[in-house]
Amino acid sequence: MLLAGTVIADSSTVIQDGAVVVDDSVIEAVGDRDDLVDQYPDHERQEYDVLLPGLVGGHIHSVQSLGRGIADDTELLDWLFDYILPMEASLSAEEMRVAAQLGYLEMIESGTTTCVDHLSVDHADEAFEAAGEIGIRGVLGKVMMDRRSPKGLLEDTSTALAESERLIEEYHGSFDDRIRYAVTPRFAVSCTEECLRGARELADRYEGVRIHTHASENRSEIETVKADTGMRNIHWLDEVGLTGDDVVLAHCVWTDESEREVLEKTGTHVTHCPSSNMKLASGIAPVWDYLDRDINVALGNDGPPCNNTLDPFTEMRQASLLQKVDQLDPTATPASEIFEMATINGAKAAGFDRLGAIREGWRADIVGVRTDITRATPLHDVLSHLVFGAHGEDVMFTMVDGNVLVEDGDVTTVDAEAIRQRADDIGLSLESHREAAKEVKP
């Protein structure tokens, strides 16, 4: 297949009249449109206004998609323990599958081709199967919670670790290696030391398995961890082995100098979730400082109940503007830096090589965006438009591993309308489900 348009190969390379040739799952050629049309005359040809690397959601909760809008204007721990965890606990296997399908649909429809996905305690198989069916690339993990957890989610430690290992054996490297595993303790508040240390031991037994958890999102969380352990959150995670170049820590809003030194020294990845941090009033992550220290920072939407959208373009805009106002510096986090967070930095966090840019020999994860709209007129700077002006609804084409998942704005792999209708039906019952679940607050 030959894709033509303005090619954003990476944050510093724009080919105005460009093209990308895809052979099987790999990008075979990138360059001038006319040259490649002459060189590959028999290839199927499609044209889009702008072609860019698939975007990476560095921290997502796909299975929370059914809870969009149920817990607005709520403090983090109340939001989590009063609303979100009871909702997760109430979902049947079939409902969990629909929740995951809905999340993955929204992602591929709006340009996210890879996600680092924090699932739930039960029915994780359903999300793995949904991801494989829809065709997204992802690093998924069953959540582990062995203390301070609501009815239906609390597990004993050995069960949580054994079930995680079963899922690794079944799904790590599945669906032509588009789907990989991350051992996923929810966060230090809801996990014992045995669970956290067990997560490290389990990940170490399998090549390519990562670790994904929340860290230092909220001051109440930090106070709870300090009361439990006598340590600040990042120091505690480092003590139990949950730092390193195979670890993705979501949020890291409240870190001190010594914790940032740990993140830098260990090569731990951080995922910034600006919309979630703003909506839950968690604070402003010191992304400018992380980047100055060469800490790899990815970008994530978090979950629909604390964001209301999984649109990666909205997240890019928020990430840049939030740092500018925090630093009172209009030069902070320019479009090029934010675009890297959403592409190649995210790919590094997810652990996939040859991903996050449009280059010969790299994985064929490509998005096509329209710009024949008022919001993109005039188009002085295409990269600026993608970061500050584009919306997920502008995506017309999504390819993962050379497979077309969205074409002319329509999903090709599943019946998207049927999934949306089923999700609507399930959504009507969520409130009664939530009231029936019992929560335990930290």
Side-chain angles (χ1 to χ4, degrees), residues 48 59 65 72 78 80 97 138 144 146 148 171 173 175 189 196 211 221 236 252 256 274 294 348 396 406 417:
Y48 295 94
H59 176 66
S65 293
D72 292 344
D78 292 335
L80 182 64
R97 187 184 187 104
M144 299 191 295
D146 65 344
R148 290 198 185 100
Y171 289 109
F175 299 101
V189 170
L196 298 176
I211 295 172
E221 168 202 347
W236 174 238
C252 295
D256 65 16
D294 289 327
K348 290 176 183 176
M396 303 302 294
V406 175
E417 182 54 38

Side-chain angles (χ1 to χ4, degrees), residues 4-319:
T6 297
V7 177
I8 312 300
D10 55 43
S11 64
S12 60
T13 308
V14 177
I15 307 171
Q16 290 294 343
D17 293 306
V20 183
V21 178
V22 174
D23 183 19
D24 194 18
S25 63
V26 176
I27 296 169
E28 183 169 324
V30 185
D32 178 78
R33 179 187 187 279
D34 291 341
D35 290 346
L36 291 181
V37 168
D38 290 343
Q39 190 175 346
Y40 298 91
D42 298 327
H43 275 53
E44 175 191 352
R45 195 179 310 164
Q46 294 193 27
E47 298 200 14
Y48 295 94
D49 294 336
V50 179
L51 297 164
L52 61 143
L55 302 175
V56 180
H59 176 66
I60 301 290
H61 289 270
S62 67
V63 300
Q64 292 179 5
S65 293
L66 294 173
R68 191 192 320 266
I70 69 168
D72 292 344
D73 309 320
T74 308
E75 193 273 336
L76 173 65
L77 294 183
D78 292 335
W79 171 89
L80 182 64
F81 284 90
D82 288 350
Y83 295 90
I84 303 310
L85 296 184
M87 178 196 71
E88 288 185 17
S90 75
L91 296 178
S92 68
E94 189 262 344
E95 290 167 338
M96 194 71 78
R97 187 184 187 104
V98 172
Q101 288 174 324
L102 188 66
Y104 299 141
L105 274 183
E106 185 178 357
M107 284 185 261
I108 65 169
E109 287 175 334
S110 55
T112 295
T113 57
T114 300
C115 63
V116 182
D117 195 4
H118 202 282
L119 302 176
S120 189
V121 170
D122 295 318
H123 313 308
D125 301 74
E126 301 297 332
F128 280 95
E129 293 294 334
E133 172 191 30
I134 287 172
I136 197 168
R137 187 186 303 281
V139 182
L140 283 58
K142 165 205 150 42
V143 168
M144 299 191 295
M145 303 175 69
D146 65 344
R147 68 169 176 170
R148 290 198 185 100
S149 303
K151 181 181 178 181
L153 295 181
L154 181 66
E155 294 181 295
D156 63 70
T157 309
S158 59
T159 299
L161 291 168
E163 178 65 3
S164 297
E165 186 159 25
R166 180 190 70 79
L167 290 164
I168 292 171
E169 294 279 359
E170 185 163 354
Y171 289 109
H172 183 56
S174 62
F175 299 101
D176 296 322
D177 198 33
R178 285 195 305 275
I179 302 300
R180 296 181 183 175
Y181 200 88
V183 184
T184 308
R186 186 146 223 145
F187 65 153
V189 170
S190 64
C191 294
T192 64
E193 179 176 353
E194 181 185 2
C195 180
L196 298 176
R197 291 189 184 276
R200 165 49 70 196
E201 292 168 4
L202 181 56
D204 285 348
R205 290 204 293 270
Y206 294 90
E207 183 177 357
V209 166
R210 300 182 88 67
I211 295 172
H212 176 206
T213 191
H214 300 86
S216 303
E217 179 178 1
N218 175 282
R219 285 179 290 190
S220 297
E221 168 202 347
I222 292 170
E223 290 166 4
T224 301
V225 174
K226 184 72 177 292
D228 286 346
T229 69
M231 300 173 126
R232 287 183 63 86
N233 208 347
I234 301 302
H235 289 299
W236 174 238
L237 293 177
D238 187 51
E239 170 69 22
V240 297
L242 300 195
T243 54
D245 62 6
D246 61 349
V247 176
V248 180
L249 298 183
H251 302 296
C252 295
V253 174
W254 297 99
T255 56
D256 65 16
E257 173 68 21
S258 65
E259 290 177 296
R260 296 175 200 179
E261 289 174 358
V262 169
L263 295 173
E264 180 181 3
K265 180 180 178 180
T266 58
T268 303
H269 306 275
V270 170
T271 297
H272 179 39
C273 303
S275 294
S276 171
N277 295 160
M278 286 189 282
K279 189 179 181 193
L280 291 170
S282 296
I284 302 175
V287 169
W288 58 274
D289 190 24
Y290 294 150
L291 294 172
D292 280 350
R293 295 170 185 266
D294 289 327
I295 295 169
N296 186 55
V297 182
L299 200 59
N301 292 85
D302 209 349
C306 60
N307 187 326
N308 296 72
T309 177
L310 295 178
D311 182 347
F313 294 94
T314 297
E315 218 59 38
M316 284 195 284
R317 173 183 170 87
Q318 302 282 49

